[in-house]
């Protein structure tokens, strides 16, 4: 039977889990649709309003991704705390075993004493103490008997204390185990709900990107490469060696970027098209290590050392359509507005070497979008 403390803990965690599940499941289960212009209607709400553009939807995805990161950090912290609880539990169980052994050790002489005094007094019990002899001998025997009785009472007292300690340790061990199991169950439920929410947002993003002309599934293994929650996985691969299923295609055929850069670029492209009437022109995006080597030898002085280029990380593009001309209307607009979407023209590209067509995505800048 669980203690009142265990019962209270179970009730609190049950209520917390049900409230978390209700709110998250409601957000994760609502439908999403995308229009031809890239506008979306999502049930994941922001400030009481439904997202009405790819910009807002991307922000929701970024928030969801950050929530997953926060949950992972919390999970690690709670796992460390859980390990501490397990260690404490192991210590209590060890002390419980020691107390049990000590109790058994004290019970043995107590049992022997009881057998000696009460089972057969005519043989080895009371008769030696009260049989014959002068008064001095009798008094000595009575003193010995009183000492034996006092020792008997001391053993009983110590045994009683050990028994109480044993029961207390057993109760604490039970409560620690119950708390650990409840925490594990709660973490598992939270992770499941977050995964469902993440999946819903990624599907909505995929539909929105398809409406914008992104050929999801062509040159990639499904839509996984456009999943912003897989950014950490992409960071594990060396420069220029990102697999196709980690890269997200761009509207221009054959061009790809890392998921966060691709989504931000698609968002930027909407604003660019609204301003100039045409989508952005891409001459180059992700470069494999082999492609970096080819460009490096074909254009010496105008390409980074193979394995060092941001193109090899899926975080850079070379643009055309007017942007490649320094101080053109397109270049100036992109310079003024690109950072709103996480894209910028690096300082070195202004002079050494001079590459007005080269633009990069900064994940830290992108995470600070308003």
């Amino acid at each position: 039977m669980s203690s009142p403390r265990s019962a209270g803990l179970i009730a609190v965690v049950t209520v917390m889990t049900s409230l978390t599940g209700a709110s998250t499941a409601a957000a994760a289960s609502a439908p999403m649709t995308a229009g031809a212009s890239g506008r979306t209607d999502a049930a994941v709400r922001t400030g009481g309003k439904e997202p009405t553009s790819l910009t807002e939807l991307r922000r929701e995805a970024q928030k969801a991704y950050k929530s997953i990161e926060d949950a992972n950090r919390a999970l690690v912290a709670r796992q460390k705390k859980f390990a501490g609880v397990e260690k404490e539990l192991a210590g209590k169980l060890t002390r419980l075993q020691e107390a049990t052994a000590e109790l058994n050790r004290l019970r043995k002489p107590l049992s022997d004493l009881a057998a000696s005094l009460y089972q057969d007094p005519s043989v080895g019990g009371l008769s030696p103490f009260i049989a014959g002899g002068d008064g001095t001998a009798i008094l000595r025997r009575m003193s010995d008997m009183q000492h034996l009785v006092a020792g008997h009472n001391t053993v009983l007292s110590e045994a009683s204390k050990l028994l109480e300690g044993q029961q207390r340790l057993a109760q604490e061990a039970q409560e620690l185990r119950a708390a650990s199991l409840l925490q594990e169950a709660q973490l598992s439920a939270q992770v499941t709900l977050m995964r469902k929410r993440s999946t819903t947002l990624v599907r909505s993003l995929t539909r929105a990107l398809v409406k914008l002309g992104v050929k999801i599934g062509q040159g990639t293994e499904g839509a996984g490469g456009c999943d912003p929650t897989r950014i950490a996985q992409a960071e594990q691969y060396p420069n220029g060696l990102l697999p196709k299923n980690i890269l997200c295609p761009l509207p221009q055929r054959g061009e790809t970027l890392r998921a966060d850069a691709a989504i931000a670029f698609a968002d930027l492209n909407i604003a660019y098209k609204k301003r100039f009437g045409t989508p952005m022109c891409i001459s180059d995006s992700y470069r494999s290590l082999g492609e970096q080597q080819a460009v490096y030898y074909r254009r010496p002085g105008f390409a980074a050392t193979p394995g060092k280029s941001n193109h090899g990380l899926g975080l850079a593009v070379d643009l055309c359509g007017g942007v490649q001309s320094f101080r053109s209307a397109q270049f100036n607009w992109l310079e003024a507005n690109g950072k709103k979407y996480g894209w910028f023209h690096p300082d070195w590209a202004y002079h050494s070497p001079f590459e007005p067509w080269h633009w990069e995505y900064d994940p830290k800048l992108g995470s600070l979008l308003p």
Side-chain angles (χ1 to χ4, degrees):
M1 182 179 294
S2 61
S3 67
R5 178 179 172 186
S6 296
L9 180 60
I10 293 173
V12 170
V13 173
T14 302
V15 172
M16 290 176 61
T17 304
S18 63
L19 290 176
T20 303
S23 60
T24 310
S29 61
M32 300 185 180
T33 58
S37 63
R39 294 170 61 84
T40 60
D41 295 317
V44 183
R45 297 178 178 272
T46 307
K49 297 180 180 179
E50 293 186 353
T52 57
S53 68
L54 183 60
T55 299
E56 294 178 2
L57 182 58
R58 190 193 73 236
R59 289 171 183 166
E60 285 298 307
Q62 289 172 332
K63 289 178 183 178
Y65 178 59
K66 185 178 183 302
S67 296
I68 292 174
E69 289 183 320
D70 292 342
N72 286 333
R73 284 192 290 269
L75 177 60
V76 171
R78 293 182 70 173
Q79 285 175 338
K80 289 181 179 179
K81 184 177 180 180
F82 179 77
V85 170
E86 287 289 302
K87 185 176 180 180
E88 182 182 356
L89 174 60
K92 287 184 179 295
L93 291 176
T94 298
R95 292 196 296 274
L96 177 60
Q97 292 174 350
E98 293 172 350
T100 301
E102 179 68 11
L103 180 60
N104 291 334
R105 187 183 69 80
L106 290 174
R107 278 175 173 169
K108 188 177 186 308
L110 180 61
S111 177
D112 294 342
L113 178 62
S116 175
L117 292 176
Y118 301 111
Q119 289 182 2
D120 193 358
S122 65
V123 177
L126 298 176
S127 56
F129 295 97
I130 61 176
D134 57 17
T136 301
I138 293 175
L139 289 173
R140 184 181 299 111
R141 288 171 182 159
M142 291 180 64
S143 175
D144 292 341
M145 188 172 183
Q146 288 176 351
H147 179 73
L148 188 60
V149 171
H152 167 264
N153 292 335
T154 300
V155 169
L156 285 176
S157 176
E158 293 181 357
S160 177
K161 291 179 180 179
L162 279 172
L163 182 59
E164 291 177 0
Q166 183 186 39
Q167 292 174 342
R168 184 178 64 255
L169 285 171
Q171 180 178 345
E172 291 177 356
Q174 178 184 354
E175 291 178 352
L176 282 172
R177 171 59 67 183
S180 297
L181 292 175
L182 285 169
Q183 287 179 0
E184 184 177 353
Q186 185 184 24
L187 283 173
S188 178
Q190 289 175 349
V191 169
T192 299
L193 290 171
M194 281 194 164
R195 285 176 179 170
K196 289 181 179 180
R197 174 176 170 79
S198 174
T199 299
T200 300
L201 285 166
V202 170
R203 286 176 180 171
S204 183
L205 264 175
T206 300
R207 288 195 296 267
L209 290 171
V210 169
K211 290 293 184 180
L212 293 172
V214 175
K215 306 299 181 183
I216 299 293
Q218 294 187 9
T220 64
E221 296 181 10
C226 295
D227 183 349
T229 65
R230 299 180 65 187
I231 295 171
Q233 184 178 350
E235 291 175 342
Q236 297 175 2
Y237 291 94
N239 188 301
L241 297 178
L242 275 65
K244 289 183 177 180
N245 63 347
I246 291 295
L247 295 167
C248 181
L250 298 176
Q252 189 158 329
R253 184 179 181 85
E255 303 298 339
T256 58
L257 289 173
R258 206 175 76 173
D260 50 345
I263 294 170
F265 185 86
D267 189 16
L268 174 62
N269 191 45
I270 293 175
Y272 183 93
K273 186 176 181 180
K274 183 178 180 180
R275 169 63 178 83
F276 295 103
T278 59
M280 284 191 289
C281 173
I282 309 167
S283 59
D284 204 0
S285 53
Y286 169 74
R287 289 178 190 161
S288 66
L289 188 59
E291 291 170 337
Q292 291 180 56
Q293 291 172 339
V295 173
Y296 183 76
Y297 291 113
R298 188 172 65 247
R299 300 176 59 194
F302 283 90
T305 302
K308 302 292 184 180
S309 172
N310 269 12
H311 284 282
L313 299 175
L315 298 175
V317 291
D318 289 345
L319 300 176
C320 43
V323 177
Q324 78 281 8
S325 299
F326 186 63
R327 291 306 168 204
S328 65
Q330 292 86 348
F331 180 95
N332 290 340
W333 182 92
L334 195 56
E335 184 183 51
N337 295 277
K339 289 183 179 179
K340 298 176 184 178
Y341 304 90
W343 286 90
F344 71 104
H345 190 56
D347 290 339
W348 62 261
Y350 282 95
H351 50 81
S352 179
F354 180 59
E355 295 187 12
W357 54 83
H358 181 90
W359 296 77
E360 296 180 357
Y361 178 76
D362 182 356
K364 293 182 180 179
L365 183 64
S367 67
L368 298 176
L369 296 178

